[in-house]
């Protein structure tokens, strides 16, 4: 008899709220991030490949502080403002992560929030370019005093939803974001090729591997293939 292939048993996670990163998790903005940060690296005489290892998940000023440790922080903030304007104006190649439209649609009526290192104009521009609906609850760069990997953004998201951190599941793609989620006491679903290197609880290639179901008592059940 021919051998039969048994489909893998999905991992099941339960939560009361989901906290979603944007870049690399819902939106593929790698093309524009590469363009803008490699130009920045060239202007400062830095190796572009090394710069790209640092910048994902963090606010720009925090990446600059790591890459140019001798530079005054006020210069990083000023440079970051210019970079945000460039990034907001450049949405060429910004597309949804596979499965993101369906995933967000499945969350309607369930507690969830966007927690991103982007500011309001950038997050609005990128979600629109990708054809994605912005969650009602959003924690952006303007909302926090510390960038990921600090857990402040995720803790604020949980507080705004009225859910204990331990009852939240984070969706993230970057080292900084995964560290932030874990530091907040939350479980983390890693999305995409970067995520698996940084110890999330479970990792998926994209959001087509995640199914969401409302359960009794306000619980959310996640099936991760």
């Amino acid at each position: 008899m021919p051998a039969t292939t048994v489909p893998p048993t999905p991992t099941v996670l339960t939560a009361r709220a989901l906290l979603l990163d944007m870049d690399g998790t819902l939106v593929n903005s790698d093309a524009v991030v590469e363009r803008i940060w490699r130009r920045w690296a060239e202007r400062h005489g830095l190796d572009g490949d090394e710069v790209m290892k640092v910048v994902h998940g963090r606010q720009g000023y925090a990446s600059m502080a790591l890459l140019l440790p001798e530079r005054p922080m006020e210069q990083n903030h000023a440079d970051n403002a210019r970079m945000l304007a460039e990034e907001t104006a450049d949405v060429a190649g910004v597309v949804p992560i596979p499965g993101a439209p369906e995933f967000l649609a499945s969350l309607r009526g369930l507690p969830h929030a966007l927690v991103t290192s982007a500011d309001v104009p950038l997050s609005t521009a990128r979600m629109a370019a990708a054809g994605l609906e912005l969650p009602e609850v959003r924690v952006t760069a303007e909302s926090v005093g510390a960038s990921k990997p600090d857990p402040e953004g995720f803790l604020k998201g949980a507080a705004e939803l009225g859910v204990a951190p331990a009852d939240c599941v984070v969706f993230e793609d970057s080292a900084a974001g995964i560290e932030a989620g874990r530091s907040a006491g939350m479980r983390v679903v890693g999305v995409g090729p970067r995520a698996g290197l940084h110890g999330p609880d479970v990792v998926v290639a994209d959001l087509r591997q995640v199914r969401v179901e409302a359960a009794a008592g306000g619980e959310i059940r996640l099936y991760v293939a």
Side-chain angles (χ1 to χ4, degrees):
M1 293 178 63
T4 56
T5 302
V6 179
T9 304
T11 298
V12 182
L13 300 175
T14 58
R16 292 192 173 275
L18 306 183
L19 302 178
L20 317 173
D21 175 51
M22 182 181 71
D23 292 300
T25 301
L26 298 173
V27 171
N28 182 347
S29 56
D30 281 0
V32 61
V33 172
E34 287 265 348
R35 279 196 297 274
I36 286 175
W37 277 100
R38 285 185 182 277
R39 284 202 300 265
W40 183 89
E42 190 173 351
R43 287 199 299 269
H44 292 88
L46 299 174
D47 181 87
D49 291 341
E50 294 303 313
V51 167
M52 295 313 302
K53 291 176 185 177
V54 170
V55 301
H56 292 290
R58 292 182 172 84
Q59 290 190 44
Y61 75 84
S63 296
M64 293 170 192
L66 291 173
L67 293 161
L68 298 173
E70 305 303 318
R71 191 164 80 156
M73 189 56 82
E74 57 266 27
Q75 282 186 244
N76 294 335
H77 281 285
D79 211 359
N80 184 46
R82 289 189 291 271
M83 293 275 283
L84 282 170
E86 279 186 67
E87 289 185 278
T88 302
D90 183 355
V91 292
V94 173
V95 295
I97 293 291
E102 297 81 3
F103 175 69
L104 285 173
S106 74
L107 298 185
R108 288 186 190 128
L110 300 176
H112 67 287
L114 187 72
V115 181
T116 175
S117 295
D119 64 3
V120 169
L122 180 57
S123 57
T124 303
R126 283 191 178 160
M127 291 288 280
L132 299 176
E133 187 177 339
L134 277 164
E136 186 177 328
V137 178
R138 302 185 286 276
V139 179
T140 59
E142 298 93 337
S143 311
V144 298
S147 170
K148 299 172 187 177
D150 191 283
E152 181 185 0
F154 287 124
L155 293 172
K156 282 202 168 185
E160 287 202 33
L161 294 169
V163 175
D167 290 328
C168 295
V169 169
V170 164
F171 282 73
E172 265 287 359
D173 72 301
S174 69
I178 292 167
E179 184 181 338
R182 296 184 81 76
S183 296
M186 302 172 182
R187 288 153 296 153
V188 180
V189 175
V191 180
R194 284 189 291 267
L197 304 173
H198 306 294
D201 293 273
V202 61
V203 64
V204 296
D206 58 50
L207 293 170
R208 293 174 294 186
Q209 291 180 248
V210 182
R211 183 166 62 84
V212 179
E213 183 181 277
E219 197 172 72
I220 300 168
R221 197 166 288 136
L222 296 171
Y223 296 90
V224 183

